[in-house]
Structure formats: C-alpha cells, structure tokens
Amino acid sequence: MSTNERFEKNFNPNAVESTMYRSWELGGDFSPVGTGPAFSMVIPPPNVTGELHMGHALNITIQDILARYKRLTGHRVLWIPGTDHAGIATQNVVDKMLQSEGTSAAAIGRSAFVDRVWDWKNSTGKRITEQIRRCGASVDWHYERFTMDDGCKHAVNQHFVNLYKKGLIYKGEYIVNWCPKNKTALSDIEVEYKEVNGNLWHINYPITDTPSECICVATTRPETMFGDSGVAVHPNDNRYAHLIGKTVRVPVVNRDIPIVADSHVDQSFGSGAVKVTPAHDPNDFEIGNRHNLERILVMDAEANMNQNVPKKYQGLNRYACREQLIEELTAAGFLVKTEPHVHNVGTNARNGEVIEPTLSNQWFIDMKKLSEPAIEAVKNKTINFVPSRWEKLYFEWMTNIRDWCISRQIWWGHQIPVWECQSNTDCELIVTATPPKKCPACGNKNLKQDPDVLDTWFSSALWPMATLGWPKPTDLLANYYPTSVLVTGYDILTFWVSRMITMGLFNMNTIPFTDVYIHGLVRDIHGKKMSKSVGNVINPLDIIDEYGADALRFGIASLCTKGGQDIKLSMEKIQASRNFTNKIWNFARFVDMCLLEADDKIDPLTIPTPSMPIDEWVMDKLNQTIASVTNHLNDYNFAAAADELWEFTWNHCCDWYVEGIKQHKKESLNVLAYVGAQILIMLHPILPFVSDAIWSAWLSHPNICEDSMTDSIQHAKWPTPSGPVNGNRLEMFDSTFNVIREIRHLIKAAQISTKATLVVHLAHPEQPIRDHLAAHQNLITALTKVTACHSHSSPIDTDAPHAQSVAATISIQLMLPEVNVDEECNRLNTQRQQLQQQKDALHQKLSNPQFMEKAPQHVIQKVERHFNDVASELQSIEQQLATFS
C-alpha cells in the first residue's frame, strides 16, 4: 500500500471524526483500566436545556487534554459526564411548549406536568451530550449521570436529612429574592444586578402630633410605603434627635408608625431618614427585628398589590401602582422632589425579571456553621486554586456568607423530603430520605409532602460524591474520591465550587477535589462578551463543521493560560490551528514516504542512535520539548504547552529538520520515525483525531514494526527525555540556522537567482565556532542554494560587489554577480524607503496604548515579529549600500 493510499492529500476531519469517536466509545477506550494511580474528574454538568457554546467547548477541551494526558502517563482515568436538571430553566421550556399547545402547567396539574418534563428530557435533552461527543470528549459514558436520576435523588434526600438532623436546615420567615415571573424564591447568587437609570423620590411624612412638621424620606420603590412600619434615623444625627420616639403618619394609608434610631442608617444618603418596610427589604427586615416593627406584606406572588393596600391600588402591578401613587402624593403635596438616580436592581439571572424582595416562609441552610472547614481547606492549601488569585473572591464570599434559601416554588426538581401529618397538627415534621408510609408519632397514614422543590444548586453541590455512588459505600467512591481536579469558569466559583467544598467536607469529612483549575470566559477578539444581539457569537459546532474539532481544540487551548485570563477568540486563530493540523498531516505523509526507502523494518518507539549532527540536534530539541510540555501540562499551562508543540513541530521539525535531512534521508530514518511518533503522542491530548488518524495509517506501513505500536495512540506511553540536552550543540545549531536565515535574506534582498553561482564567506575570530561552521558547510549550502561556503577568522578584504550582514556574532559576506552600481544603489534606496515606511507604521501601532491593551497577545506578538523582521531587513539594506559607498 502506497503513502497516497494511506494518506489523503489533506486531512479531512469530517470524514473521520464521527466514525473515529464512535470506535473509541464502543471500544471502551474511555474506561479506567490498568493498575496505575487513579485520576478522576466530573464534568460540570451542562443544563439539559442547553446547547453547546464556546464556554462548554473550552471547559471540555481542558478536561479532555488532562484526561488523555493522564491516560498516556499510565493513570486509571475516570471522567464522569452528566447533565443538570436545571429546575427553573427546564420548567420554563416545557411551560412554553404547553402554551403553544393551548394549555398550561396549571391546567394539567403537577403530576402530569412532571411527566411531560421527563418526556421532553428523554426525547430532546440528549442533544447537549451528543454535542459534547463532537468535541472529542473522552468521558466514560457508562457512568453518565443526571442530577435527578435515582442515585442523585437518594443522595439529595439523604443530604437534606443529614443537614436537618444536625440542626443546619430550618424553615422560617425571611426576606427572599422573589421572582414574580416564575413565582419562586431565588438564592442570592441566582440574582444578577444591573445598573439602571431610575429615580429617587423624596416624600414628606408628617409628625403625628405636629402635622405641620414633616420628616422627609427618600426611596426608589415608593409602592412599598404601604408596608412601612417605621422611619429610621441614625442615633448620632442631630437633625432628628428631637424626633426619636415620636410617630409619623404614612401618607395615603394614614397609619402612624414610630421613628427609631438605628446605626445602620447612612446619614449622607438622601435626607438621612429612611422608611422601614420589614416585609420588602432585607436591611429593613433586620431593623424591624431590632425594634420589633410590624411586617406588612403588600404584594402577592405576581408582584401585584394585595389586600393590605388601599382598595383603589389593589390588583395593580407594582409599576402601575408606583405611577398612580406618585400622582396622588404630588397632588396631596407630600412629594418634595424627584431626582434621577442610578442604582443597581436585582434581576433573575435566567429570565431578566426584576426581583421583588419579599417576606416569605422558606427553607434555609445555616451556612455560617458549615463555611469554616471550607475556608480552612483553601487557606491551608488542602485545595489548590489555579490561579491562586481567585482565593480572594472565594474568601470574601465565604466569610460574608448568608443563610442559603434552598426552597423553590416550582414543580420540576427534587421535592423537599419533608411530610406533615394531616390528622394531628401536634405531630412533628417527618424528615426522611424515603417516603414514609405513616406518621411515626400517631400512626396516621394521611401525610402531605412539602410541595416546594430544592434549589438546583442543592443537588449540584453533591456532584463529585453523588456521581461516584454516595451515600452508598461504592468501589468508585473508595477508588476515585476525592476527585483529582475540577475545571470550571470563575463565574460559578460562588454558585457551585464553594458549595461542593462545603458539602463534601460535611458529608465525607474530606475535600471533593484536590485542584481547582479556574479558566476565563471566552470573549470576542475585542474582549466583548459574545451575544446574539451584538452578532459576535462564534458557534463551536459551526467551527467543527468547517474546520474540525481539532482546530477548535488547539485554537482555544493555545489561548488558555495558567493565569486564567478571559480568552479573546478570533476566527483567524481557528484557521491558523486548522493549518497546523494540515502541517502535521503533511509531515506524517513525508515520514511515511521516507520510510518506504528503509532496508529493514523500523521501530518508531525505540530510542534511535543518531548518525548525523542534525539528528543529534533534533533529539536534543525533542528532549527539551518533552520536558517542557510535560511541565506545562502538570502546571495547567495549556497555552504554553500548545505553543511549545507548535514551535517544535512546525519550526524546528518541519522547517529545519525535514529540510536538513533531504540530502541523507536514509541515514536519518530511525530518528525521523522516532521524532514523528513522539510528536504525535504529545499532540494527542490536544489533537486527538488527527494524531490517531496518522497513528492508524502508520500501523499498516510495510516498513514499520507493527508489534511495537499500540492499536490506538490512546494506549501509547507519554514520552520521557531519552537523555540529557546538549546545550552547546543547541547553541551552535541556532547560530547555523541564523546564518542560513540571513543568507536567504541577503539573496532575496539582492534579487539574485539561486541558479547563479553564489559564494558566501563567514567569519568569526573563535576557532570552535569556525570549526562548527565548517562542519555544517553542506547544511548551509543545501538550505541556501549557494555554491560554496567558506569560513575565516575575519571578513575578507575585497572590492568585488557583495552583500554583507551579521548573524549574532558571525560576519556574512555574499559575493554578488557583476552589477551596475548606480542601478543597484537606486534599487536598494527604493527598497530602504519602503521598509522605513513599514517600520514607522509598525512602530506607531506598537506605541498605541489602545492597540496594546485591546489586541490579543498573539496578534501583538505577530506585529512585534513583523517589526523585528522589517528592522533586520532594513539594517541589511543599509549594510549593502555601505559596500557601494
């Protein structure tokens, strides 16, 4: 079989990726095997409603790099996939579906609604897992989990019971973030604050016993004044000292309420006096508790005004009420002034609905008591955050943590495992992991389960342990918990990571993972958040369709630094990564063709004995790259690993080494094959498809020892350096390659045909360097097409036309054919002028602060390289002109 039969002209990802992935999955290649050390991860479960976006693609790519790398290093890798039931989001999707059918959740009832959600999940919810497969994720699908499967349900119920028995879960009245659209409470971290241009209304409240005297309060929500039960001033505010203890009359409702002194009041805000509405503001709730003020709820579940407001306002939504109330206050002379006011308004992060702080009876977790061990675990480095700068956000959140409202007034989710006896109100609540058949106190079977469901994050907090079988003492739990690393974005550090640490320590008395790698968010090339409305969304599935999964993976991995900065992604980066996969493919074709010339079969995995100096050099470079890439991957520096692999594969191997051995390919075949195999193994974690496609093609090569190669590159062994790196040899070859570059540049600048007879003279005062240049004379002539190359201790003294330059400390003189001096000077001066203009333009760009701040790093580096190349070319032109002066 020929090379052309084993290799198409270009790598075609669309032709191989889906078939190859199916073969991997069915072949059990993603399952933990062997006796090596355990390495485990759990995939951050995407919402079952979701579609793959760039954030998913980044997260999956990073995890898959780690999983494939660890398999190659001999680890037993367990990477568990799964999806999240996404309570509110999923309920909204099915609600809309029902509405399109002319019905609603309320019309069909809870049981039928939950059945419809399960039907939807089973028919449509697997879309996201198929998209994960397209990214090449080597998760073990045998262990796929769902946050509402039977195992997770048991874990959630047991966790609730454990917390309850320890006195860490309680039910009580408190101000919650209420979403009027979904008619449910939200936890603090489900609320997104947005800056809005609103108003600050200043309203006079008359003093009860002296109506001519008023106290002015400022508010952004005047409709809540119907629930006012006090006015608070600072105890040190002399303006109001004489009023403390008196009462004021609330306009419109004509209710007398006390003036209280509370140090929470900000004297500098507004008038320094604030209305206190304990049922509709968390700070007011605390003030109300301190001063025993009445809690008056003035809105219903949909944020419409209820029976506790004047009749003419009852039934109005909060905004209509606000507008009508302001008109009445103005007409009655109570409104002092209206000021424009920019302030943050809480919204439901999922649907954008403005949150209404509302007094409600909800279930809470006492997080203060649980947070200390979780703080210590990060503080003492039992858990290692990468990068460590995210510890600051974690500590701020955990040290100021509030009790977590865990009950939700929706139907889709884990129903709270609490039952009430319906026949005897004196019986205690029944809290159990399994549904009770009768009341343990009185024996009655008439029981009613709490209708609320648990916050989605309650089940997600158990993900590392529940996916491994907890609360059962499974083998998976014994062998793979704690997991090795969690890969996540910083945007869910407080939502999810902090809670997994907290609950892992509570239930297992040990951490849920050792390392937390926190990556940035994927943004557009200008650093803006990707948004459909802006039109800057890059769809990972479109990229896979056009360029292949490997191009997507390498493109985002090469931007994923250890520092966890946000990633500025451009299609140019993806296209460059696609070109890189083609370069690797073409290199593999070259190796394949060269091996056809071998006299004996070659083992590409056996360390070869170099026979030529350039073979020794490439082995040094390979050993250097192996050590460097290994360190970078161990250090979670994926961008640096990708850069090293690109540099070695494209620049050192494909450019210098391949060109350098063309005069003696047969003598270098063992080294060429070995280097090629090691490159493929190192590239495999980032580029799984093209690396395995090449590996599989080589398996059928007639001159490769098939017994030495595993059936798939996935089962190969990660490279280790074959020996020490000879730094002096690397330095000498670098000098040689610099000389070659400069000679090529001189030939190009002089516009000389390489068919002409060209002689180059190299000069250096040190004998060892001259010996090295003499030893590499054939390499220099072969790669520059010059006829002869001579070495000297100093530049030759000649009047003959020549171009000259310096590479490092080596002088170069390229003898030129006879030329018309005037014409040559004119040509060089024109070229110099053009180069100077280019140099000035590039310098201006690099001196532009906006460009340096906003441009991606790889773009800046490209401009810098261009600037240096132009400067070098300009210097060479000026040196040539000097020879004619």
Side-chain angles (χ1 to χ4, degrees), residues 255-277:
R255 181 174 61 249
D256 291 341
I257 58 176
I259 299 171
V260 299
D262 197 283
S263 57
H264 171 79
V265 176
D266 180 358
Q267 299 177 63
S268 63
F269 179 76
S271 64
V274 296
K275 56 192 282 301
V276 182
T277 318

Side-chain angles (χ1 to χ4, degrees), residues 305-332:
M305 309 313 290
N306 66 16
Q307 72 282 359
N308 293 326
V309 306
K311 193 164 186 177
K312 59 183 173 182
Y313 290 102
Q314 292 177 15
L316 294 179
N317 71 50
R318 50 188 162 167
Y319 302 118
C321 174
R322 179 185 298 176
E323 185 177 347
Q324 190 170 319
L325 178 58
I326 291 300
E327 289 179 3
E328 183 172 353
L329 291 171
T330 303

Side-chain angles (χ1 to χ4, degrees), residues 819-828:
V819 295
N820 182 303
V821 173
D822 290 337
E823 288 180 1
E824 184 65 10
C825 285
N826 288 335
R827 185 185 70 80
L828 290 172

Side-chain angles (χ1 to χ4, degrees), residues 190-249:
E190 292 173 293
V191 177
E192 180 181 356
Y193 286 90
K194 297 179 180 177
E195 193 174 83
V196 299
N197 295 314
N199 288 315
L200 190 63
W201 287 276
H202 295 256
I203 304 167
N204 271 339
Y205 282 31
I207 307 300
T208 304
D209 57 5
T210 53
S212 60
E213 185 180 4
C214 296
I215 191 167
C216 184
V217 300
T219 180
T220 58
R221 298 159 65 216
E223 64 277 8
T224 63
M225 67 183 288
F226 296 128
D228 289 355
S229 56
V231 168
V233 297
H234 196 278
N236 298 332
D237 194 334
N238 293 329
R239 293 173 297 176
Y240 303 115
H242 67 290
L243 296 176
I244 294 171
K246 292 190 175 187
T247 62
V248 295
R249 184 156 292 169

